[in-house]
Amino acid sequence: MPGPSQGRRAQPFILSGYHGEATRGTVTIREFNREQRMRRAFAGLGKWWGVALISVLVPVAHFVLVPSFLLYGVWQFFQRLGTAELATDARGTCPDCGAEQTLELAPRWRSPQPVTCKQCNRGLRLTVPP
Ligand SMILES: [Zn+2]
């Protein structure tokens, strides 16, 4: 049954640091099928090529800006095309300093992955519990 939460799931994870007990957190994973990936890829390409088109009007700087945005658009296109699982809204508590926070994850979901505590700047490791 397709519901409103289709394509999204809450994924619990474990955060481990150098000291202290490992803590738990959750991240929302958005799943994209082939068609959604294509749509997102073209939307990204269109956006950056649109920016490139506007920057044609910027004097002198357009020699750098236009090709940069065109290339960035292509890069975004392939990034999005390859992103089947997107990590958003990751929340957890740092095992080292105890600060609860939203975590900056790599947009393309993977596990394990390194994360950095915003409070104490220590490198932490995010893993999915077995
Ligand atoms: Zn910390």
Side-chain angles (χ1 to χ4, degrees), residues 32-49 68-84 108:
F32 300 111
N33 61 28
R34 223 180 118 87
E35 192 198 323
Q36 289 169 318
R37 291 212 299 272
M38 283 294 263
R39 213 181 302 150
R40 263 171 47 83
F42 279 112
L45 189 72
K47 180 184 152 190
W48 290 106
W49 282 17
S68 303
F69 286 132
L70 287 177
L71 283 175
Y72 190 75
V74 172
W75 182 80
Q76 276 274 306
F77 180 83
F78 286 107
Q79 281 292 306
R80 289 182 168 204
L81 204 60
T83 302
R108 205 184 286 194

